[in-house]
Amino acid sequence: MQIEYLDAIDIIKNSDDIYIITHQSPDGDTIGAGFSLYYMLKAIGKRAKVICPDDFPERYEYMYEDYVEEDFNPKRIFAVDVADEKLLGDLAELYGDKVDLCIDHHVSNTGYAKYTLLCSYASATCEVMYELITRMGLKITENMAKCIYTGIATDTGCFKYENTSARAHEIAAALMNEHKLKYSALNRILFDIKSEGRIKLEAELMRTMETYLDNRCTLVCITKEFLDTIDIEGSELEGVTAVAMQVEGVEVGVTMKEREPNVYKVSMRSANDVNVSEICKSLGGGGHVKAAGCLIKAPLEEAKRLIIDAVAKGMEKAT
Amino acid sequence: MQIEYLDAIDIIKNSDDIYIITHQSPDGDTIGAGFSLYYMLKAIGKRAKVICPDDFPERYEYMYEDYVEEDFNPKRIFAVDVADEKLLGDLAELYGDKVDLCIDHHVSNTGYAKYTLLCSYASATCEVMYELITRMGLKITENMAKCIYTGIATDTGCFKYENTSARAHEIAAALMNEHKLKYSALNRILFDIKSEGRIKLEAELMRTMETYLDNRCTLVCITKEFLDTIDIEGSELEGVTAVAMQVEGVEVGVTMKEREPNVYKVSMRSANDVNVSEICKSLGGGGHVKAAGCLIKAPLEEAKRLIIDAVAKGMEKAT
């Protein structure tokens, strides 16, 4: 059942001993929302614990420096930034049908929770957390500010993507006016710093990038052979599709990742009007209009030909 | 003579037939300030013309789609984002000592103009333009919004750098609330798209990057030989220092650019506490605490040794 801010505040005030669940492969927004909710619950005298099916990436640890993990059995389960119970991963079986309150901004939220505070116009779940905490009449503490800034900044690509709203900027301004944090140092951690493996991978992708269809389509391929030569974590492969999108005039960027011999996971991004969801559907996959994917089982050159043919057809439709 | 907003408004209202000069190697902020000033002057019925010693990079042309160049002799000269008359390049001789009003945000402004509206706390000269236009009681038009957003976004690295103020976010929010522009499409042009030459250069720098001093210093070198193999404009070399700064744990990033055999232009960036202004001063150069440069005349390996020795000394001081 979808609820409004005031209902959510009632539920929160009437809950005790709360587990806060973040989604699997946790990002800045789910972690930021989880811990800003934790700090808020502590501020009103509740016992709370943040749990996640996966480990948190190390670069986000500044958000939970003041987190104290307590042992208790939960009376209430809250979920943050979790659009679908499947995204609870290993925790889905245990808690998937027991979520009392879900706070989210994904329009695709399946409504699996008993109550859902869903603000689909918000740039990030952390934007919802800001509105919630301030509507409760609570002061945004420094820890909350760190978390909320992180969620909004990471989900908007540092205020760069289409979901960046005026409200996202207003909240950033309010946080900065209230707390003298080292925002630029956070941004450096969140957006600039890369591991040596990631740098080597990007260099290799830039070097071997192919262009097709009058340079309107770029294609990069991450081979198992190359991955074996570098030291890189799985989570560091995320966002690598951006490499194929930085070429002037590109309409569709394709990233192929070799899963096993002759099996490729394909990610597609569209810069403007080409519908990559449809293109990927024609290849047996799916996704969003501007970001989609599919799996192709074929030798490399044949796989490329299949992809480029499908992209060419998709481009014709867009013109 | 330094003046306040109200004085600047008086000067503007009492001026006619104005040339607006932007600085050489024009960036988003000087172009944005120049054309937002042009649109403001047109709005109050003045004749104005924007001039620059260099051509404007093509990617900024959306800011002057509605600009109509007129032929007239100037009665007043205004300069925007020009901290020093030397930055007028080829126009310095003609107009260097004739600037009536300079609007700027550089703390290093030399005061060469008759009157200077200097807001050194502003993230960008375009932030000053926003305050000026709104204080005049004028509506921010769509063209002004494009210009002002561009100046603030480019000078702050899309709200990422240390100069990003709460006010910068507030103005971005105000612009977005007022005008439904495709901000994310602008951001793609401003921050994501790179020429093929730039992509090849970054790939080469990532591939050949060297690390020193327990990985706390990275060094990349742009040789004339490599530059000759790619197609790249001078303006596209800007910002390439960021490549050396993305490595985890790096304190100082050094970019060497070969000017001629055995002559290297060196740029240094500091991630945190190391004062690269002092390091570059010890090598005969100078600059800001976190971004400085110098010129080194020596064979490559000797030049590197000189640099790394100086960086090592600078790091010792910082600890």
Side-chain angles (χ1 to χ4, degrees):
Chain A
M1 185 181 150
Q2 283 208 28
I3 55 170
E4 302 292 326
Y5 280 106
L6 291 181
D7 308 314
I9 291 169
D10 269 348
I11 293 170
I12 290 167
K13 284 187 173 164
N14 291 312
S15 297
D16 284 296
D17 293 354
I18 301 142
Y19 274 15
I20 301 163
I21 320 187
T22 60
H23 64 67
Q24 64 185 9
S25 305
D27 58 13
D29 193 29
T30 200
I31 300 173
F35 285 99
S36 57
L37 179 55
Y38 166 82
Y39 294 123
M40 177 245 269
L41 291 169
K42 297 308 285 182
I44 57 171
K46 309 285 184 182
R47 196 147 63 157
K49 182 172 176 167
V50 181
I51 61 174
C52 179
D54 299 318
D55 288 338
F56 294 139
E58 218 175 279
R59 65 178 172 284
Y60 294 122
E61 65 184 8
Y62 61 86
M63 287 194 272
Y64 44 93
E65 282 166 346
D66 293 325
Y67 170 68
V68 182
E69 183 145 315
E70 290 176 275
D71 244 358
F72 62 90
N73 286 319
K75 289 188 193 142
R76 286 281 184 278
I77 309 291
F78 293 176
V80 282
D81 199 44
V82 183
D84 186 316
E85 60 193 283
K86 285 181 207 147
L87 299 173
L88 296 176
D90 290 347
L91 297 172
E93 211 184 334
L94 209 55
Y95 300 115
D97 59 353
K98 291 189 184 64
V99 176
D100 298 291
L101 172 64
C102 172
I103 302 170
D104 193 17
H105 75 125
H106 292 96
V107 68
S108 57
N109 191 296
T110 61
Y112 63 93
K114 191 169 174 195
Y115 298 106
T116 306
L117 175 62
L118 178 64
C119 303
S120 57
Y121 51 81
S123 62
T125 296
C126 278
E127 188 178 319
V128 186
M129 286 308 304
Y130 179 86
E131 308 289 11
L132 188 61
I133 295 169
T134 51
R135 275 168 171 75
M136 288 177 81
L138 295 172
K139 195 182 131 48
I140 299 283
T141 64
E142 188 170 304
N143 275 323
M144 292 174 189
K146 273 186 209 174
C147 292
I148 291 169
Y149 180 83
T150 299
I152 294 177
T154 52
D155 259 29
T156 59
C158 208
F159 308 93
K160 200 164 67 177
Y161 303 150
E162 216 166 330
N163 64 337
T164 310
S165 57
R167 189 71 187 133
H169 279 294
E170 281 168 3
I171 293 171
L175 297 174
M176 285 186 169
N177 277 324
E178 196 74 23
H179 293 286
K180 273 208 179 310
L181 298 173
K182 292 191 173 180
Y183 297 94
S184 63
L186 292 190
N187 291 336
R188 184 165 152 70
I189 293 171
L190 299 172
F191 303 107
D192 288 345
I193 292 177
K194 297 169 185 171
S195 72
E196 213 184 305
R198 168 77 185 229
I199 290 173
K200 281 187 185 153
L201 175 63
E202 286 192 16
E204 177 70 3
L205 295 181
M206 286 178 175
R207 199 182 63 79
T208 59
M209 187 187 298
E210 297 171 17
T211 58
Y212 295 92
L213 306 169
D214 292 331
N215 297 322
R216 289 184 302 151
C217 176
T218 51
L219 184 145
V220 296
C221 183
I222 306 174
T223 62
K224 268 178 113 77
E225 194 191 10
F226 182 77
L227 274 190
D228 286 345
T229 70
I230 58 171
D231 187 19
I232 193 163
E233 275 180 50
S235 72
E236 290 178 277
L237 293 178
E238 276 168 45
V240 95
T241 42
V243 170
M245 291 306 290
Q246 53 188 354
V247 179
E248 235 167 341
V250 69
E251 286 292 323
V252 175
V254 180
T255 304
M256 300 175 69
K257 200 180 143 205
E258 189 182 13
R259 274 271 182 86
E260 48 191 271
N262 301 331
V263 179
Y264 296 91
K265 171 130 184 31
V266 178
S267 301
M268 262 183 224
R269 294 286 178 278
S270 167
N272 297 301
D273 303 323
V274 180
N275 184 334
V276 291
S277 169
E278 274 194 14
I279 296 173
C280 286
K281 220 177 272 173
S282 79
L283 293 165
H288 304 282
V289 175
K290 291 201 166 190
C294 60
L295 198 75
I296 295 203
K297 295 181 187 180
L300 183 56
E301 288 311 314
E302 194 189 325
K304 284 185 191 174
R305 198 182 46 73
L306 285 168
I307 293 167
I308 301 304
D309 284 353
V311 171
K313 276 180 201 150
M315 281 183 175
E316 266 173 44
K317 278 191 194 166
T319 51
Chain B
M1 185 180 149
Q2 284 208 27
I3 56 170
E4 301 294 325
Y5 279 106
L6 291 180
D7 308 314
I9 292 170
D10 270 347
I11 292 169
I12 290 166
K13 285 188 173 165
N14 291 312
S15 297
D16 285 296
D17 292 355
I18 299 141
Y19 274 15
I20 302 163
I21 320 186
T22 60
H23 65 66
Q24 64 185 9
S25 305
D27 59 12
D29 192 29
T30 199
I31 300 173
F35 285 98
S36 58
L37 179 54
Y38 166 82
Y39 294 122
M40 177 245 269
L41 291 170
K42 298 307 285 181
I44 57 171
K46 308 285 184 182
R47 195 148 62 157
K49 183 171 176 167
V50 181
I51 60 174
C52 179
D54 299 318
D55 288 338
F56 294 139
E58 219 175 277
R59 65 178 173 283
Y60 295 122
E61 64 185 10
Y62 62 86
M63 287 194 272
Y64 44 93
E65 282 166 346
D66 293 326
Y67 171 66
V68 182
E69 184 147 310
E70 290 176 273
D71 243 357
F72 62 89
N73 286 319
K75 290 188 193 141
R76 287 279 185 280
I77 309 291
F78 293 177
V80 282
D81 200 44
V82 182
D84 186 318
E85 58 192 283
K86 284 182 207 146
L87 299 173
L88 296 176
D90 290 346
L91 296 173
E93 212 185 331
L94 208 55
Y95 300 115
D97 58 353
K98 293 188 183 62
V99 177
D100 298 292
L101 173 64
C102 172
I103 301 169
D104 193 18
H105 75 123
H106 292 95
V107 69
S108 57
N109 190 295
T110 62
Y112 63 91
K114 191 168 171 196
Y115 297 106
T116 306
L117 175 62
L118 177 64
C119 303
S120 57
Y121 52 79
S123 62
T125 297
C126 278
E127 187 178 319
V128 186
M129 286 308 305
Y130 179 87
E131 309 288 13
L132 188 61
I133 295 170
T134 51
R135 275 168 171 75
M136 287 177 80
L138 295 172
K139 195 182 131 48
I140 299 283
T141 64
E142 188 170 304
N143 275 324
M144 291 174 191
K146 273 185 207 173
C147 292
I148 291 168
Y149 180 83
T150 300
I152 293 176
T154 51
D155 258 29
T156 59
C158 209
F159 307 93
K160 199 164 69 177
Y161 304 150
E162 213 166 334
N163 64 336
T164 310
S165 56
R167 189 69 187 135
H169 279 293
E170 282 167 5
I171 293 172
L175 296 174
M176 286 186 169
N177 278 325
E178 196 75 20
H179 294 285
K180 274 210 180 308
L181 298 173
K182 292 191 170 176
Y183 297 94
S184 63
L186 291 190
N187 292 336
R188 184 164 152 71
I189 293 171
L190 298 172
F191 303 108
D192 288 346
I193 293 177
K194 296 170 186 171
S195 72
E196 214 186 306
R198 168 77 184 229
I199 290 173
K200 281 186 184 153
L201 174 63
E202 286 192 17
E204 177 70 5
L205 295 182
M206 286 178 173
R207 200 182 62 79
T208 59
M209 187 188 297
E210 298 172 15
T211 58
Y212 295 93
L213 305 169
D214 291 332
N215 296 323
R216 289 184 302 150
C217 176
T218 51
L219 184 145
V220 296
C221 183
I222 307 174
T223 62
K224 267 178 115 75
E225 194 191 10
F226 183 77
L227 275 190
D228 287 343
T229 69
I230 59 171
D231 187 20
I232 192 163
E233 275 180 51
S235 73
E236 290 178 278
L237 294 178
E238 275 167 47
V240 94
T241 42
V243 170
M245 291 306 292
Q246 53 188 354
V247 180
E248 236 166 340
V250 68
E251 286 291 325
V252 175
V254 180
T255 305
M256 298 174 71
K257 201 180 140 204
E258 189 182 12
R259 274 271 182 88
E260 48 191 273
N262 300 331
V263 179
Y264 296 91
K265 168 127 186 37
V266 178
S267 301
M268 265 185 219
R269 294 286 177 279
S270 168
N272 296 301
D273 302 324
V274 180
N275 184 335
V276 290
S277 168
E278 273 193 16
I279 295 174
C280 286
K281 219 177 274 175
S282 79
L283 293 165
H288 303 281
V289 175
K290 290 202 167 188
C294 59
L295 198 75
I296 295 202
K297 295 180 186 181
L300 183 56
E301 289 310 314
E302 194 190 325
K304 284 185 191 172
R305 198 182 46 74
L306 285 168
I307 293 167
I308 300 305
D309 283 354
V311 171
K313 275 180 202 150
M315 281 183 174
E316 265 174 42
K317 278 192 194 166
T319 52

